């Protein structure tokens, strides 16, 4: 199992930048802009998720200022601090996204055979590589994707999903191993992702390291989607 990051030091800023730059490609968001606090970009895929701010070195003053001055519903702030630290800094009208974790790994070739009864397809377009696993009759079983910005060597793994009736069959691991090999093939040497608590266990079993918590704050959380 990968070692969890337990020190109180700052998160590697290059890792955060790589995650942001790959995430916007993966989600077809706008190019990220640098701000005094970190990064901002428009998602715009739905009215309840319009703009995201990523705060690599969030502190009390930053969070209090931003949550006090930003009033537009659908604005999200992502910090790399625990909920119990950030929570007291939030202004009224804000709430939490589901918990998450920033994770990373060095890449190496791995064996990724498909189990009997499943087929794997991969394709790459515009810096985005997708992996799709289907059953013998073509029914969706699992998927995932990765983004690698031009000239980068850190890929961003994203949107790993396994159909409910296909879980506990090793398909999540199959997707992750296939993505690792695909990332190497397009020039990546490392990878980073934002994990859910459920996904974290899978990724740690595959050698990924937990670098920091990902605590999301949402303006008008009653209207926020589960993403």
């Amino acid at each position: 199992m990968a070692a969890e990051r337990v020190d109180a030091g700052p998160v590697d800023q290059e890792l955060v930048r790589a995650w942001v730059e790959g995430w916007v490609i993966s989600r077809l968001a706008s190019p990220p802009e640098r701000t005094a606090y970190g990064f901002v970009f428009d998602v715009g895929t739905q009215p309840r998720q319009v703009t995201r701010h990523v705060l690599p070195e969030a502190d009390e003053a930053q969070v209090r200022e931003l949550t006090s001055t930003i009033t537009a519903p659908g604005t999200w702030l992502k910090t790399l601090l625990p909920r119990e630290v950030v929570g007291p800094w939030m202004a009224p009208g804000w709430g939490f996204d589901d918990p998450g974790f920033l994770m990373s790994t060095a890449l190496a070739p791995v064996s990724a055979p498909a189990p009997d009864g499943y087929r794997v397809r991969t394709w790459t377009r515009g810096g985005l590589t997708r992996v799709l696993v289907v059953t013998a009759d073509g029914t969706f079983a699992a998927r995932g994707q990765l983004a690698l910005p031009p000239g980068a060597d850190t890929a961003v793994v994203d949107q790993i999903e396994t159909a409910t009736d296909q879980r506990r069959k090793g398909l999540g691991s199959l997707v992750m191993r296939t993505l690792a090999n695909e990332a190497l093939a397009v020039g990546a040497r490392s990878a980073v992702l934002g994990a859910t608590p459920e996904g974290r266990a899978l990724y740690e079993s595959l050698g990924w390291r937990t670098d920091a918590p990902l605590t999301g704050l949402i303006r008008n959380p009653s209207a926020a989607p589960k993403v």
Side-chain angles (χ1 to χ4, degrees):
M1 180 177 293
E4 180 176 353
R5 182 180 182 274
V6 295
D7 63 272
V11 180
D12 181 355
Q13 298 301 290
E14 284 302 303
L15 183 68
V16 179
R17 180 190 58 77
W19 176 57
V20 168
E21 292 183 351
W23 195 95
V24 299
I25 292 174
S26 177
R27 303 296 181 97
L28 299 178
S30 70
E33 298 178 12
R34 292 303 300 255
T35 70
Y37 304 127
F39 304 90
V40 62
F41 47 90
D42 293 326
V43 182
T45 54
Q46 51 188 300
R48 294 174 294 177
Q49 187 175 181
V50 181
T51 300
R52 286 201 177 203
H53 298 255
V54 177
L55 314 181
E57 297 183 292
D59 58 26
E60 182 174 359
Q62 290 178 4
V63 174
R64 287 190 182 278
E65 178 178 347
L66 290 173
T67 59
S68 296
T69 57
I70 294 174
T71 60
T75 302
W76 297 49
L77 307 182
K78 283 288 186 179
T79 74
L80 290 93
L81 294 170
R83 279 190 175 205
E84 59 269 23
V85 172
V86 180
W89 304 340
M90 285 192 299
W94 290 79
F96 287 117
D97 184 17
D98 292 334
F101 304 92
L102 188 70
M103 304 185 69
S104 61
T105 191
L107 294 171
V110 289
S111 177
D116 292 342
Y118 294 92
R119 295 183 287 114
V120 179
R121 183 184 177 194
T122 65
W123 65 95
T124 299
R125 181 177 298 167
L128 188 64
T129 297
R130 296 185 185 270
V131 172
L132 175 66
V133 181
V134 297
T135 63
D137 67 357
T139 300
F140 171 79
R143 68 164 182 167
Q145 62 194 53
L146 69 86
L148 186 67
D153 61 7
T154 298
V156 173
V157 173
D158 192 25
Q159 296 197 316
I160 307 303
E161 179 184 1
T162 302
T164 302
D165 62 349
Q166 298 292 332
R167 293 175 181 172
R168 302 188 183 279
K169 298 181 180 181
L171 300 183
S173 296
L174 170 63
V175 169
M176 292 297 292
R177 292 187 174 107
T178 303
L179 285 172
N181 290 334
E182 292 294 320
L184 286 166
V186 295
R189 294 186 295 175
S190 59
V192 61
L193 58 75
T196 64
E198 296 79 11
R200 181 188 183 190
L202 167 64
Y203 309 141
E204 285 187 333
S205 74
L206 296 172
W208 286 67
R209 166 191 170 100
T210 300
D211 293 279
L214 276 177
T215 298
L217 312 181
I218 308 168
R219 177 67 185 178
N220 192 14
S222 62
K226 299 296 184 182
V227 176

